[in-house]
Amino acid sequence: MGQRYWVIGGDYRDCRFDEIVPGTEEISGPFPDALRARTEWQRLTFRDRCDATTRYTICVEPIRL
């Protein structure tokens, strides 16, 4: 069984990160390995350093062969 990696996130209403602002959602991927997903996560996370309410995370999807 393999895995695919996705980077998801966007702008949230506040620093509790409970509710994403509609229209700001971003999904990148799939990536074949964790290193490529982490590179994309870093690019998105540090793109706008002053934006405290923007957050991204890496999600792993199992692939059944």
Side-chain angles (χ1 to χ4, degrees):
M1 180 158 74
Q3 296 176 326
R4 293 193 301 187
Y5 298 84
W6 300 82
V7 180
I8 62 171
D11 297 329
Y12 288 79
R13 294 234 182 258
D14 55 41
C15 289
R16 290 181 301 194
F17 302 103
D18 292 338
E19 183 181 349
I20 198 163
V21 176
T24 67
E25 305 91 345
E26 289 188 56
I27 300 173
S28 295
F31 299 98
D33 57 63
L35 179 61
R36 290 183 190 172
R38 182 162 174 83
T39 300
E40 177 67 1
W41 172 84
Q42 286 178 321
R43 184 187 73 78
L44 292 170
T45 298
F46 298 113
R47 170 176 62 184
D48 299 316
R49 293 177 183 239
C50 297
D51 204 353
T53 56
T54 300
R55 179 180 273 186
Y56 296 93
T57 190
I58 298 173
C59 298
V60 181
E61 174 189 17
I63 300 174
R64 294 193 174 126
L65 302 174

